[in-house]
Amino acid sequence: MGDRTERPVNSPEPEESWRARILAEDGAILGAGILLGTETVLTCAHVVPEGQGVLVDLEGAPDGRTVPARVVEGCWIPETTDSHGEPSGDVALLTLRTAQPAGRGATFHRVSPSWHRTVHMYGYPEWLDWGVWFRARLAGRCGLDGRVQMFPATPEEAVRPGFSGAAVTDDLSGQVIGMVVSRYRDEDGLRLSYMIPTETVLRHLPRVRAWVSGGSAVDLSLVSGSVEEVLDAPFAERLVHWLDGTDPAEVKISTVLPGDQHRARTLQRAITLADRELAGRGADPPSAAAPPATVPPVGSLDLAIDAAGRSAAYVAERVAERLGLGLAGSDGEAGTTDPLARLRDAEIPLTAVVDGVDEAAEPAALVDLLGLLAERGCRLLLVFHTPDSPSRRRAEHEIAARPRITRLAALLDEITVRRQQRLRELHLLVTADLRQATTALTRAHALRSHLAALRAPGAGSGPPPLPTPAELAAFERTAELARDQVERAVARLEALVARRDVLRGRLIPFQAMLAAHRALEDTAVAPHYRRAHDSLWQAPCDLAVAEEAVARYIEAVVRRTGGTPGEAAP
């Protein structure tokens, strides 16, 4: 174990020369690590025995060597748990005895570890000590330290010993966005994998900032200098309810009047505590003494922007950067430098606070952008400083409507495409009265066309006006009614198809009864069989006709054989 072996055929690319394998002094594999700069290695604290030296095998480099290393003083942060058993920490920095050539170290990237982001990692399990790739998709945050669960691409790719300390690399951008920390396996065989995102690493080990790219999630003007005191407890609790999802509102609008320092500082406190990089660390952070209902979950906020004096383009760029949308498209071709264009077709699974919307350099343009973000899946807390500003009035109507319109469009797509196709497929098999369903589909198609016109870019004077809340509610009722009517029709057709199949099956045992009496070609019975068979196998099948034909056939068989229907029951 631990001896260098021939590099596998899926050898890491040169740009991943930062990959390292952590060994005990006897050569046993302890875990993985990530080279930073020329002489620093990041890994998990549980990988490195406290107070002991280790060997770092820089196997990712073309001419990598095994170098002795020790823990950097003050940079071994063991895992701790709070009163609820939630883990925190488990990070460590090592310093190499011999510095490595420049340009081989990794650069961590600040990015939102959003749902379904695909990633990969390279670790050293016991059964394959030269290393193996694993793939995964990011899931939601877990615990109070901002860790993120990873869904393995296959059950065999769940994290196991030998992966702790490995880099988690974003498939789309190629950026390192976190570190593998642990796995969990219960008695039923459930295996879970976890990642420490870049910003959680930074909270525990601030010196790693020297090797990090990407802007902070929170604009500096929104960072709280003190999180211990709660100045406006009701406001703080409402903010927590929205951040933790208890309040499921996709768009929340709030007012912080100029000079209302209590409310302003309460907002800054919630933003600070919800950010992975800024929240207090350890089992006893500064907010530990605060009422729990005023402390948001770490990692429940992805982005906080001070829009005062800023352009819509600035906000769009911050959002694009937070999503990890670079200047190159996912197909590898050069992409647009316009951040708005990059966002227009992207999913935006972020939770964001935008403060000072009405004080932006271009409030109207910013409201347009925020509407797009809401439509693409971004949860938004919009903070205004003037209660009756035009931008607020417009936001209350338009931005809140956009996610509802998106959901409505998705429902209409489901009705008019997938469910309509299912209805057609079933109606080719059996006959039924579908007048109600047809009327419902006609209305759904008309509403779908109307929504498409609303969502299309406008010409000259801008996009067409959005429906009023009352109109939108009426649209939703129309779509829901159409869905219910189509679903009932589908269910009725499926039941008819099932009954047709039962009747087909009933012919078999009665044919067997005839065969036993050598009467398959009996002229008193055969015509009834042909009518029953033809009515069941023709398409579409008229079940009323088929039921009668099968009943007459069974009666004829019983008369001919002297048996009973029960004798032929399948």
Side-chain angles (χ1 to χ4, degrees):
M1 297 275 304
D3 294 336
R4 293 190 62 80
T5 58
E6 183 179 353
R7 189 176 300 281
V9 293
N10 63 344
S11 171
E13 296 296 326
E15 62 265 23
E16 295 197 346
S17 57
W18 35 258
R19 194 165 17 249
R21 181 167 52 171
I22 311 299
L23 310 173
E25 292 181 340
D26 63 1
I29 293 178
L30 300 175
I34 307 158
L35 178 65
L36 302 174
T38 59
E39 55 186 358
T40 304
V41 172
L42 173 68
T43 188
C44 292
H46 77 264
V47 168
V48 185
E50 185 176 7
Q52 297 182 28
V54 294
L55 301 175
V56 176
D57 179 8
L58 298 161
E59 66 89 23
D63 57 349
R65 302 174 181 176
T66 300
V67 182
R70 59 176 177 80
V71 174
V72 177
E73 184 176 355
C75 293
W76 188 78
I77 314 297
E79 182 174 275
T80 58
T81 56
D82 62 11
S83 58
H84 303 286
E86 298 285 359
S88 177
D90 198 5
V91 293
L93 285 179
L94 307 176
T95 184
L96 302 176
R97 181 180 297 176
T98 304
Q100 302 302 299
R104 293 184 175 181
T107 297
F108 273 72
H109 191 70
R110 290 185 180 98
V111 69
S112 173
S114 51
W115 275 82
H116 302 305
R117 184 182 292 273
T118 58
V119 297
H120 63 268
M121 61 214 80
Y122 195 87
Y124 310 94
E126 182 179 10
W127 46 270
L128 204 61
D129 63 358
W130 62 80
V132 64
W133 294 100
F134 276 4
R135 301 160 301 150
R137 287 182 297 109
L138 298 189
R141 56 181 169 80
C142 296
L144 302 178
D145 196 39
R147 294 183 181 186
V148 173
Q149 185 178 337
M150 297 186 289
F151 290 143
T154 64
E156 293 76 19
E157 293 176 275
V159 164
R160 60 201 66 206
F163 273 81
S164 291
V168 177
T169 304
D170 178 35
D171 286 345
L172 181 63
S173 67
Q175 299 276 4
V176 177
I177 62 173
M179 178 177 69
V180 177
V181 62
S182 64
R183 66 176 187 132
Y184 170 77
R185 182 172 184 171
D186 67 7
E187 296 177 353
D188 297 324
L190 177 64
R191 296 194 294 185
L192 305 176
S193 310
Y194 297 95
M195 173 188 89
I196 300 179
T198 296
E199 284 145 315
T200 300
V201 172
L202 291 175
R203 174 155 47 89
H204 293 291
L205 295 171
R207 69 171 61 192
V208 174
R209 287 195 181 98
W211 302 287
V212 171
S213 66
S216 297
V218 178
D219 281 354
L220 186 59
S221 58
L222 297 178
V223 176
S224 174
S226 173
V227 296
E228 292 90 344
E229 188 177 9
V230 184
L231 298 175
D232 187 336
F235 184 42
E237 292 179 8
R238 290 196 298 274
L239 291 171
V240 170
H241 288 162
W242 184 76
L243 287 165
D244 68 13
T246 302
D247 176 355
E250 293 148 315
V251 178
K252 200 79 172 175
I253 294 178
S254 185
T255 302
V256 177
L257 296 175
D260 188 347
Q261 289 301 307
H262 281 199
R263 198 171 176 87
R265 289 168 60 184
T266 298
L267 174 65
Q268 293 168 358
R269 174 183 176 275
I271 290 170
T272 301
L273 291 176
D275 179 65
R276 287 182 171 89
E277 187 171 350
L278 299 173
R281 70 176 186 176
D284 189 27
S287 61
T294 70
V295 180
V298 175
S300 56
L301 181 65
D302 296 298
L303 181 62
I305 301 173
D306 183 356
R310 305 282 193 178
S311 66
Y314 168 82
V315 175
E317 184 60 52
R318 290 281 278 128
V319 174
E321 179 186 46
R322 195 68 188 141
L323 288 170
L325 298 177
L327 300 184
S330 58
D331 58 1
E333 298 181 2
T336 176
T337 58
D338 177 9
L340 184 58
R342 283 180 272 154
L343 295 175
R344 193 165 284 123
D345 296 321
E347 294 300 319
I348 308 178
L350 302 181
T351 297
V353 174
V354 182
D355 184 37
V357 176
D358 48 347
E359 295 181 352
E362 309 158 312
L366 179 56
V367 169
D368 288 339
L369 170 64
L370 295 174
L372 171 66
L373 300 183
E375 182 178 316
R376 304 304 300 170
C378 185
R379 294 185 74 225
L380 291 167
L381 171 60
L382 307 180
V383 181
F384 292 80
H385 296 168
T386 305
D388 58 350
S389 65
S391 56
R392 172 167 180 146
R393 290 194 298 271
R394 187 171 164 224
E396 287 175 336
H397 168 45
E398 295 187 12
I399 298 177
R402 297 288 278 274
R404 290 176 65 185
I405 292 174
T406 299
R407 286 196 305 275
L408 179 57
L411 175 58
L412 291 168
D413 286 346
E414 175 68 25
I415 296 168
T416 59
V417 180
R418 288 173 286 276
R419 301 315 291 166
Q420 178 172 306
Q421 179 62 29
R422 178 60 176 160
L423 196 68
R424 286 174 175 169
E425 291 169 353
L426 291 168
H427 203 213
L428 290 173
L429 303 179
V430 291
T431 61
D433 182 356
L434 298 182
R435 282 176 292 182
Q436 277 194 336
T438 301
T439 299
L441 284 169
T442 300
R443 290 173 179 163
H445 276 284
L447 182 53
R448 186 179 183 220
S449 298
H450 181 59
L451 282 188
L454 289 178
R455 302 175 80 194
S461 60
L466 295 177
T468 66
E471 290 171 335
L472 187 53
F475 293 162
E476 290 167 336
R477 288 193 297 271
T478 297
E480 289 163 1
L481 178 60
R483 176 199 60 200
D484 293 344
Q485 289 175 328
V486 171
E487 287 297 337
R488 283 196 294 269
V490 167
R492 185 166 66 255
L493 290 175
E494 287 175 340
L496 290 173
V497 171
R499 178 59 183 167
R500 181 206 65 180
D501 293 342
V502 168
L503 292 175
R504 285 178 173 181
R506 293 201 69 188
L507 299 182
I508 297 171
F510 285 99
Q511 282 291 88
M513 286 178 64
L514 287 174
H517 288 79
R518 301 180 183 276
L520 285 174
E521 300 300 326
D522 189 291
T523 56
V525 179
H528 290 293
Y529 175 75
R530 285 193 295 272
R531 280 193 293 272
H533 180 278
D534 291 348
S535 66
L536 287 170
W537 264 267
Q538 74 177 3
C541 171
D542 185 327
L543 260 294
V545 172
E547 289 271 11
E548 182 180 356
V550 170
R552 290 184 178 277
Y553 167 65
I554 292 173
E555 291 172 1
V557 172
V558 170
R559 283 195 303 269
R560 174 64 179 82
T561 63
T564 64
E567 293 178 27

